[in-house]
Amino acid sequence: ERVIKKSMDKWQLNSGIAFTGGKDSLVILHLVKGISKNIPPLMFIDHKLHFEETYTYVEKLVRNWGLKIFYEAEPKSLKKLKN
């Protein structure tokens, strides 16, 4: 928590949370939510391999917690790794 708080104090206006809908990113989001009322926007990288339930879960969490989210299509760097 101390590291997250220090980072948020320094980078609040220029930060975001990479969110996959998985357990690890949920823990980070929950820690941030406990530290600050100003939660940075989430970024969900959509590589088109997620289960349909993942999309539903992410949308429901964003709606229920009143979060801002950006959906990013598969970045070029991931496309290069696949080839």
Side-chain angles (χ1 to χ4, degrees), residues 20-72:
T20 63
K23 64 183 177 358
D24 298 325
S25 57
L26 180 60
V27 168
I28 295 297
L29 177 58
H30 190 266
L31 288 171
V32 170
K33 190 173 187 282
I35 291 170
S36 175
K37 293 179 181 173
N38 299 319
I39 299 174
L42 306 180
M43 183 177 67
F44 182 86
I45 296 176
D46 189 1
H47 48 60
K48 307 296 183 200
L49 299 173
H50 294 290
F51 294 110
E52 189 60 38
E53 294 85 356
T54 302
Y55 296 107
T56 303
Y57 166 73
V58 170
E59 291 171 9
K60 184 177 178 182
L61 183 79
V62 167
R63 185 177 55 252
N64 289 345
W65 285 13
L67 303 172
K68 189 183 300 184
I69 189 167
F70 296 96
Y71 292 90
E72 180 65 38

Side-chain angles (χ1 to χ4, degrees), residues 9-10 12 16 27 30 34-35 40 42 64 77-79 81:
D9 289 344
K10 184 174 183 178
Q12 180 67 42
V27 168
H30 190 266
I35 291 170
L42 306 180
N64 289 345
S77 58
L78 287 179
K79 288 179 187 175
L81 289 174

